[in-house]
Amino acid sequence: MGKRRVPRKKIKDMTARDREVVAALENMADDIVKAVGNGEDPRFQIPVRALSNVFFNTNRRIIEMGDAKIDRKFFNLSMAKKFMQTILIASMCKKELLETGKTTSIRDMYYMIKHSIGKTRENTVDDQSESDPIIEDIEVTLETLREELHLFASNRGSMVGPVILEDGGDTINLTKMGTGGWSVPSIVEPDTVKFKESKAQFILLVEKDAVWRRLNEDKFWKKHKCILITGQGQPPRGVRRMLYRMRNELRTPGGGKLPVYVFVDNDPWGYYIYSVIKQGSINLAYESMRMAIPDARFLGLSAFDLEKYDLGPDVQIKLNKQDVARTKQILNYDWFKSKQWQKELKKMLKNGVKLELEALSSKGISFVTEEYLPDKIKAGKGKGWLV
Amino acid sequence: MNHAQPVNRAVKGRSAMARKRITAEEMARKQKAISISEFFSKNRHLLGFDNPTKAVLTTVKEAMDNALDACEEAGVLPDITVTIRENGKAVTRADLNVKRGKKGAAKPKSSNGPAHYLVIVEDNGPGIVKKQVKSIFGKLLYGSKFHRLRQSRGQQGIGISAAGMYGVMTTGRPMKISTKTGKRKPTYYCELKLDTKTNEPVIISECELPRVSGDEPGDPAKRDILSDHGTRVTIELLGDYRKGRTGVDEYIRQTAISNPHAKITFNAPDASFVYARVVDELPPEPKEIKPHPYGIELGQLGTMLAATSEGTLSQFLRSEFSQVSATIANQIVVEANKNIAGKDITTRSRPSLIAKSQDKLRALFKAIQTVRIRRPRVDVLVPIGSDAIIAGLKKEIRADFYTAVTRPPTVYRGNPFLVEVGIAFGGDLSKPDPNAVDLNSIDDADDLSHDVGDDRSGPARILRYANRVPLQYKQSDCAITKVITQTNWRNYGLSQKRGQLPYGPMEIMVHIASVWVPFTSESKEAVADYDAIHKELKRCIGECARKLGTYVRKRAAQQREAQRRKIFELYIEEVVQAVKRIKGDDFDPDPLRDGLVAIALQKTGADIQEDGETEPEPTGPNPPSDGLDAVAASDEDDEADEAGGVEADIEIGVQPDDAEPATLFDGLEDKTSRQPARASGGKRSSRRRKRAAG
């Protein structure tokens, strides 16, 4: 590190936001110097990112973060290492990224700060799973976004549909993306991704990559004029932010906002994915307001589909103990307190089984594209989908 | 003392009879009493002359025991010189190996193989009057010690004459005695042999030595005694000088520990050592007591009844035993009559008549066991004392921690005894691994907790003593060893495999003082496991171990603190560099670094406060076994009703800090749960749990 000379940006050359972030990072360092000057144990006050510190804002219908903070003290053996890692990452963000105008992945950041301490075999960090939460800590502490720290996560997620956009200066026609689709970058802020044109009527988020591929192959998006997007499991921030922007910035030919349909497995994890799209996540509650889509529509699989589509025992998977416990937990979320949702969740518990999206293939390979999805969307609120 | 009884060969005769008929007359001719000397010359292993190495040790031991006892009795601070040297060259194994060109030739040998050795022990005791010399050194079972009950080193008076006899048997050379009883008296010198057939000493030559005023060459055995008074014994024997745990050097070192009031000079064949006197006061003289009725055996009672000069049974009981009053004597007689049909035992019965009647003897013996008799006086014993034990340990062992406990005297089978324990821990005893903090191993917080008494030190060494005499052989047969291995040392922060000695850099010294120490055999090498003794040992070792445990935990805590500080020091550099990275090249990192180091010192330098003598929770390095735990727990209960022993503690290397306790490091508690939990551990970890939940 620091062996090769990298031209540095002067403060005046930075964007306004970069300047703010640099000031916030400098504040962190100043706080340490000040505390030590007073003979005090230096500490960071980090907002708590846990269920205990989130609440459901019933007006805005999103999860917001509370005010609870935790002291991360240096002179506490269980926190000392994290403290050191925090200031280490902060210093790298400032010196190696903001000052050079470069952006890097969180994996790269892990390697940037990883080195052995002194002459010991102990490392500053041993695994990326140690540095990633620290980055999130810095985000919440400084009230910055990851991209404002010039960091991004690895890309995950694909998208196709009747949309033309600009990505890093290149114009991309999302109707001509072949079988793989456009890889959704982790940073999709307006200065990177700009919308040019859209003929879409709605957006369909699919949990499973395999199902997304089926829909793409069947050109479902063409027939139904929709944007087809997958996050390959729990959608990463890029996909969620993309959904939010599309929801709020694109308009149907009729001038309305694009409805967002969520198509997930019928299991607690699927419900939670929907919950995150809709209200935001507990871990990243501070970003809910720029990611949550409170009127996202839960299309399926619904627990009621089991009987409705007569899905046989071959495709049913028994709920295990954790599934049941997790579902009971979800039953208690404020945002699932409506009658319909309680019915839905309790129905799954009553079924005692979970269903994967692929279960629909038992009805024929294109059953999902030709019957299930069109029927459900057509059936409308309550019958076809839930909010 | 059954060994001392004449033994006949009837057994041998009978086994021969099975094959060939022999008349009773023939047998009678063969059946003859053998002398004690003859018996022992054939059974010399019973006295510790099993092999050449042990013969040297036993000779030194018997002579030193006598010397120390004599000095103390005369009220003289002992000044003893032990000289061992080879007399005449024997062919050594090393020589043989060189000649044969064997590989082992280069190996330094601790022994040169059996050879003629001279053992010379000189003391500054009161000396011996001329006419007694012959009996003391030339007769087995002769001495001032056998006929009384008193805490003294030698017990039977067998030793020194047996050593002399062994010398005569193996080298043909007589024992040489020089003795002087006063400043103005001449030194008497004699050479004598023991006639093993008659148990009678034979003086070969005797003379008065010319006065000299300084060392001069010549026969070291035949030099004038330079002190005002004293005795020198010279024995030439076939022996082998070996060093090590069971060697003479170790015997003398251990004797120096248990006799800090003695100055001992040891001229070994290869080097000379002086063990300094560190206590300038003689221990008080042990008092002599009569046997307690409870300690007597049937045969012994008979012998005493037959031999007594008292005219009536009541007088006999009152004068020959301790704690027997006229009332008690009456009670014994009443009880005795219950055991016999005739009911004709009276207080006025003649003792010799009772001795002749087996029925009466048995009835009397049984009665003695049933009547409640006060326990004997226990103030007749003289402990080394916890302070002197620590002084002795400190003198010979450079350790970090010393502790000692002297228990109050108590009684086993009518004999008063007491137990003392001293422990030296750490310091030179834990020489391997000089790097206290191995940072390379701090990969995760688990590694922060090192056991203090960990395996690399090997098992603890045990120094066993009976009436201040070191016991070096038969360690595993000894009650002392048994109790130490049965103690759960894991409760005290040490590691231990079940039923084995604890591991750790320590020496455990255990002393049993008694008017009659029960040994497992005549060679006096292992203490017999009587219940009362076992119990006292357990208590005393437990008390000492608890003190050690407190220290070990304190030390472990300090080591952890040092390691924590080390970690902070490492992290501090990272933090300082990170701050500099943010603040830019103009930032001066030194004040920040110094400030952080200062805080680290303040936070981690604090000595973990021990809540007094709290019991460790049973969370040792290994999960403790239930059985041993139960033992430890019941021991505790006993402790509550018993008056504690005299205790002393000395710690070196632990400097309690005035700084506040390092409560900030509660986070560590969970991670170091391999360590024995401190008394406040529960509270801490629950706090930790609470936070983890939040």
Side-chain angles (χ1 to χ4, degrees):
Chain A
M1 239 148 298
K3 278 195 182 133
R4 69 216 130 78
R5 282 251 162 232
V6 179
R8 296 195 179 278
K9 272 193 182 178
K10 294 206 172 101
I11 293 288
K12 63 176 173 23
D13 300 332
M14 290 181 184
T15 65
R17 183 56 192 156
D18 277 359
R19 275 202 291 271
E20 283 169 23
V21 175
V22 165
L25 290 168
E26 282 176 345
N27 254 337
M28 287 177 79
D30 286 338
D31 285 348
I32 294 175
V33 175
K34 204 189 287 172
V36 172
N38 294 336
E40 286 163 10
D41 185 355
R43 71 189 65 186
F44 299 127
Q45 290 199 310
I46 296 167
V48 175
R49 293 180 292 113
L51 185 59
S52 61
N53 191 37
V54 296
F55 63 93
F56 184 52
N57 185 325
T58 41
N59 284 334
R60 302 170 73 177
R61 296 196 295 143
I62 59 171
I63 298 171
E64 290 189 335
M65 194 144 77
D67 296 331
K69 286 183 179 174
I70 185 170
D71 272 357
R72 177 168 294 164
K73 296 175 180 173
F74 180 52
F75 288 104
N76 176 313
L77 208 75
S78 62
M79 304 184 193
K81 193 165 190 177
K82 279 188 177 171
F83 182 98
M84 180 267 288
Q85 290 166 342
T86 309
I87 192 70
L88 204 55
I89 290 175
S91 74
M92 287 299 178
C93 286
K94 196 228 172 204
K95 194 171 178 188
E96 302 295 329
L97 302 178
L98 284 151
E99 283 188 359
T100 60
K102 290 187 191 295
T103 297
T104 194
S105 69
I106 53 175
R107 175 138 192 91
D108 205 22
M109 173 53 79
Y110 159 64
Y111 280 112
M112 281 167 73
I113 64 161
K114 182 177 185 173
H115 59 260
S116 58
I117 301 173
K119 281 174 186 150
T120 67
R121 272 186 282 147
E122 188 184 1
N123 289 323
T124 47
V125 276
D126 287 314
D127 196 276
Q128 197 186 336
S129 64
E130 273 184 78
S131 60
D132 285 358
I134 303 268
I135 293 170
E136 285 169 359
D137 286 341
I138 297 176
E139 290 174 47
V140 281
T141 307
L142 302 185
E143 293 179 354
T144 59
L145 299 172
R146 179 173 292 180
E147 40 275 28
E148 291 172 341
L149 292 166
H150 288 214
L151 287 170
F152 57 83
S154 54
N155 291 0
R156 200 172 78 219
S158 307
M159 185 171 137
V160 284
V163 178
I164 294 169
L165 50 75
E166 203 185 288
D167 174 13
D170 300 331
T171 302
I172 294 168
N173 185 344
L174 295 196
T175 60
K176 298 181 173 175
M177 297 311 298
T179 55
W182 176 60
S183 165
V184 183
S186 71
I187 297 177
V188 292
E189 295 310 301
D191 52 351
T192 316
V193 176
K194 295 182 177 80
F195 298 116
K196 291 288 191 191
E197 200 188 320
S198 167
K199 287 178 185 153
Q201 298 277 8
F202 64 92
I203 301 164
L204 179 64
L205 173 83
V206 185
E207 177 185 352
K208 291 274 181 68
D209 188 51
V211 177
W212 182 91
R213 280 169 186 278
R214 161 107 333 274
L215 293 170
N216 188 22
E217 198 177 284
D218 290 355
K219 298 288 181 229
F220 179 85
W221 53 270
K222 209 170 194 173
K223 195 172 172 189
H224 296 276
K225 287 203 165 44
C226 74
I227 295 166
L228 203 56
I229 186 168
T230 179
Q232 292 157 11
Q234 177 70 268
R237 282 204 247 186
V239 169
R240 287 175 56 202
R241 179 71 178 145
M242 195 67 196
L243 281 171
Y244 180 90
R245 284 194 62 207
M246 291 193 294
R247 162 75 184 165
N248 290 292
E249 293 174 32
L250 299 183
R251 292 291 179 272
T252 60
K257 283 186 178 182
L258 272 63
V260 175
Y261 294 97
V262 177
F263 187 39
V264 293
D265 287 346
N266 182 227
D267 61 15
W269 183 241
Y271 292 126
Y272 189 70
I273 288 175
Y274 168 72
S275 163
V276 167
I277 299 293
K278 188 177 160 77
Q279 270 89 214
S281 75
I282 291 161
N283 193 31
L284 299 177
Y286 59 98
E287 292 206 299
S288 294
M289 52 176 294
R290 50 192 298 279
M291 288 189 179
I293 304 164
D295 38 21
R297 297 165 178 180
F298 177 80
L299 193 66
L301 292 178
S302 158
F304 291 97
D305 291 344
L306 181 73
E307 286 145 25
K308 194 171 167 189
Y309 293 97
D310 192 23
L311 299 171
D314 294 347
V315 296
Q316 299 172 4
I317 304 168
K318 268 191 100 176
L319 287 177
N320 60 31
K321 265 187 198 165
Q322 284 121 312
D323 291 332
V324 174
R326 188 83 186 94
T327 308
K328 285 181 176 164
Q329 217 176 341
I330 292 171
L331 267 168
N332 281 324
Y333 285 171
D334 284 341
W335 49 96
F336 282 132
K337 282 283 163 69
S338 74
K339 223 190 235 170
Q340 275 184 313
W341 268 110
Q342 294 283 312
K343 250 172 82 183
E344 168 71 29
L345 291 165
K346 282 174 183 164
K347 174 66 180 163
M348 185 180 72
L349 287 178
K350 206 180 143 203
N351 288 348
V353 294
K354 50 191 179 183
L355 298 165
E356 289 193 290
L357 289 180
E358 288 87 340
L360 295 173
S361 301
S362 66
K363 308 253 105 188
I365 185 126
S366 290
F367 173 76
V368 66
T369 45
E370 278 157 25
E371 292 185 40
Y372 184 88
L373 288 172
D375 286 359
K376 278 240 166 177
I377 291 168
K378 216 178 189 178
K381 188 176 177 180
K383 289 183 180 129
W385 41 266
L386 290 174
V387 173
Chain B
M1 277 297 79
N2 294 333
H3 301 292
Q5 303 296 324
V7 176
N8 66 44
R9 291 174 170 173
V11 178
K12 203 175 175 186
R14 220 178 283 132
S15 70
M17 203 162 62
R19 278 171 270 117
K20 192 179 154 193
R21 288 193 68 89
I22 295 176
T23 64
E25 286 70 28
E26 275 178 302
M27 270 163 62
R29 255 178 276 128
K30 287 181 185 170
Q31 289 165 344
K32 59 176 181 181
I34 59 165
S35 77
I36 301 163
S37 318
E38 197 182 354
F39 173 75
F40 275 129
S41 76
K42 295 203 161 116
N43 297 280
R44 60 197 190 200
H45 58 278
L46 290 176
L47 295 170
F49 295 93
D50 336 19
N51 56 56
T53 313
K54 219 170 156 190
V56 173
L57 174 67
T58 304
T59 303
V60 169
K61 195 168 163 171
E62 297 295 351
M64 270 185 82
D65 288 356
N66 286 352
L68 285 163
D69 272 344
C71 288
E72 283 167 23
E73 244 174 89
V76 181
L77 282 167
D79 187 344
I80 293 168
T81 305
V82 178
T83 306
I84 297 177
R85 66 184 205 201
E86 225 174 296
N87 201 26
K89 183 93 174 127
V91 181
T92 67
R93 271 182 229 130
D95 290 342
L96 291 174
N97 287 345
V98 170
K99 279 172 196 160
R100 291 175 200 157
K102 274 194 181 174
K103 271 184 192 171
K107 244 185 194 169
K109 290 271 173 192
S110 65
S111 150
N112 291 331
H116 284 200
Y117 276 92
L118 268 182
V119 173
I120 307 168
V121 176
E122 180 173 341
D123 63 50
N124 60 340
I128 302 161
V129 289
K130 186 177 161 184
K131 61 172 185 183
Q132 290 282 21
V133 169
K134 207 167 112 174
S135 325
I136 287 176
F137 293 100
K139 234 173 150 159
L140 289 178
L141 291 173
Y142 186 91
S144 56
K145 295 167 185 171
F146 183 60
H147 299 282
R148 61 185 186 182
L149 278 179
R150 197 181 106 140
Q151 176 192 340
S152 61
R153 291 180 176 80
Q155 278 189 351
Q156 294 95 344
I158 286 178
I160 194 64
S161 38
M165 191 170 78
Y166 174 85
V168 173
M169 279 165 49
T170 54
T171 66
R173 300 300 191 93
M175 208 172 179
K176 294 165 185 170
I177 318 293
S178 310
T179 183
K180 184 172 155 187
T181 54
K183 204 171 178 175
R184 288 166 206 291
K185 306 268 178 59
T187 299
Y188 168 74
Y189 173 82
C190 74
E191 299 184 357
L192 57 82
K193 277 185 179 177
L194 179 81
D195 184 330
T196 55
K197 296 271 185 262
T198 59
N199 191 18
E200 284 300 321
V202 180
I203 292 203
I204 293 164
S205 70
E206 59 183 329
C207 64
E208 277 180 16
L209 292 180
R211 285 188 184 221
V212 288
S213 54
D215 263 345
E216 55 185 51
D219 184 357
K222 212 172 172 177
R223 253 180 242 156
D224 189 21
I225 300 264
L226 291 178
S227 332
D228 291 350
H229 40 76
T231 303
R232 180 196 307 119
V233 186
T234 306
I235 293 170
E236 190 171 345
L237 72 161
L238 179 72
D240 194 357
Y241 178 76
R242 269 174 213 260
K243 290 187 265 193
R245 200 169 66 85
T246 53
V248 175
D249 55 337
E250 177 66 12
Y251 170 77
I252 290 177
R253 182 185 83 102
Q254 291 191 18
T255 304
I257 290 173
S258 65
N259 296 278
H261 61 285
K263 180 192 170 194
I264 303 170
T265 309
F266 177 37
N267 303 311
D270 49 352
S272 285
F273 309 90
V274 175
Y275 296 88
R277 178 181 295 130
V278 291
V279 172
D280 281 325
E281 224 175 298
L282 268 173
E285 207 177 331
K287 294 189 187 84
E288 192 174 333
I289 55 164
K290 289 171 196 154
H292 190 272
Y294 286 172
I296 212 80
E297 280 166 19
L298 184 65
Q300 216 178 342
L301 179 65
T303 315
M304 285 170 78
L305 282 163
T308 185
S309 56
E310 302 293 338
T312 70
L313 180 58
S314 177
Q315 276 167 350
F316 164 77
L317 289 171
R318 273 148 55 198
S319 66
E320 305 272 334
F321 292 100
S322 63
Q323 310 296 32
V324 180
S325 60
T327 324
I328 296 286
N330 277 334
Q331 281 179 24
I332 291 173
V333 170
V334 170
E335 274 304 312
N337 279 324
K338 286 183 191 166
N339 301 330
I340 192 163
K343 306 206 184 298
D344 50 357
I345 301 175
T346 70
T347 49
R348 305 187 67 83
S349 298
R350 284 185 71 84
S352 55
L353 291 176
I354 293 177
K356 278 176 194 157
S357 156
Q358 273 301 311
D359 286 348
K360 285 183 183 171
L361 184 61
R362 276 179 208 285
L364 184 67
F365 180 72
K366 219 172 149 192
I368 285 172
Q369 312 303 316
T370 37
V371 171
R372 268 186 77 94
I373 306 170
R374 262 197 305 149
R375 58 189 227 164
R377 285 173 56 185
V378 291
D379 59 354
V380 299
L381 298 177
V382 178
I384 301 174
S386 46
D387 289 340
I389 288 177
I390 286 172
L393 289 171
K394 279 173 83 175
K395 163 165 95 106
E396 301 305 330
I397 304 165
R398 274 206 308 207
D400 288 335
F401 172 79
Y402 304 87
T403 183
V405 171
T406 298
R407 293 279 309 163
T410 175
V411 177
Y412 84 93
R413 292 198 42 183
N415 294 313
F417 78 99
L418 67 81
V419 171
E420 304 177 272
V421 175
I423 293 178
F425 183 91
D428 280 1
L429 298 173
S430 46
K431 261 179 181 162
D433 189 25
N435 312 318
V437 180
D438 180 14
L439 279 163
N440 290 339
S441 68
I442 309 175
D443 280 338
D444 59 9
D446 271 2
D447 283 317
L448 297 178
S449 58
H450 279 296
D451 296 333
V452 177
D454 47 9
D455 292 356
R456 62 171 170 251
S457 313
R461 288 181 68 183
I462 302 179
L463 311 180
R464 297 173 293 133
Y465 294 91
N467 287 345
R468 293 185 190 243
V469 177
L471 310 175
Q472 285 170 280
Y473 281 87
K474 295 193 176 167
Q475 176 165 296
S476 53
D477 292 352
C478 187
I480 292 171
T481 317
K482 277 181 199 159
V483 176
I484 289 174
T485 54
Q486 284 166 16
T487 302
N488 186 354
W489 294 85
R490 288 171 301 204
N491 279 352
Y492 309 114
L494 296 161
S495 52
Q496 180 188 27
K497 285 183 191 143
R498 193 179 193 160
Q500 287 183 19
L501 292 177
Y503 270 69
M506 65 168 168
E507 297 205 15
I508 307 168
M509 167 187 179
V510 182
H511 177 222
I512 297 177
S514 177
V515 297
W516 187 266
V517 178
F519 289 108
T520 56
S521 76
E522 283 315 308
S523 57
K524 298 191 274 181
E525 281 158 341
V527 177
D529 198 0
Y530 282 91
D531 270 0
I533 293 177
H534 190 100
K535 219 169 151 185
E536 272 304 300
L537 280 170
K538 200 169 100 182
R539 279 193 188 134
C540 197
I541 289 166
E543 270 181 57
C544 237
R546 263 191 294 286
K547 289 155 171 284
L548 174 68
T550 306
Y551 168 77
V552 166
R553 282 190 297 280
K554 205 188 257 179
R555 200 172 93 148
Q558 281 181 337
Q559 284 183 351
R560 283 201 303 278
E561 284 305 300
Q563 283 170 336
R564 284 173 206 188
R565 201 177 307 150
K566 205 84 199 164
I567 286 168
F568 284 125
E569 278 167 21
L570 290 168
Y571 289 178
I572 281 170
E573 199 47 40
E574 293 293 333
V575 170
V576 168
Q577 291 308 322
V579 169
K580 189 176 162 65
R581 218 171 285 133
I582 294 176
K583 299 287 290 173
D585 293 338
D586 296 339
F587 177 75
D588 176 9
D590 294 342
L592 178 61
R593 185 184 298 116
D594 295 347
L596 284 166
V597 169
I599 299 172
L601 271 173
Q602 180 203 326
K603 299 265 186 198
T604 57
D607 187 30
I608 296 284
Q609 300 251 308
E610 295 286 330
D611 300 343
E613 294 271 275
T614 45
E615 253 321 278
E617 287 165 31
T619 46
N622 310 313
S625 69
D626 293 332
L628 290 177
D629 255 5
V631 169
S634 69
D635 184 32
E636 269 323 282
D637 295 340
D638 290 346
E639 212 55 51
D641 355 322
E642 286 284 323
V646 185
E647 303 167 350
D649 262 338
I650 292 183
E651 293 176 16
I652 294 171
V654 178
Q655 281 115 17
D657 212 313
D658 289 327
E660 57 181 284
T663 51
L664 286 163
F665 301 105
D666 42 7
L668 194 71
E669 290 309 312
D670 274 6
K671 293 174 182 168
T672 58
S673 55
R674 281 198 291 137
Q675 290 289 326
R678 267 176 250 119
S680 52
K683 214 166 72 193
R684 284 162 190 248
S685 54
S686 73
R687 230 192 296 153
R688 160 85 177 164
R689 254 177 262 126
K690 223 161 102 191
R691 201 187 30 218

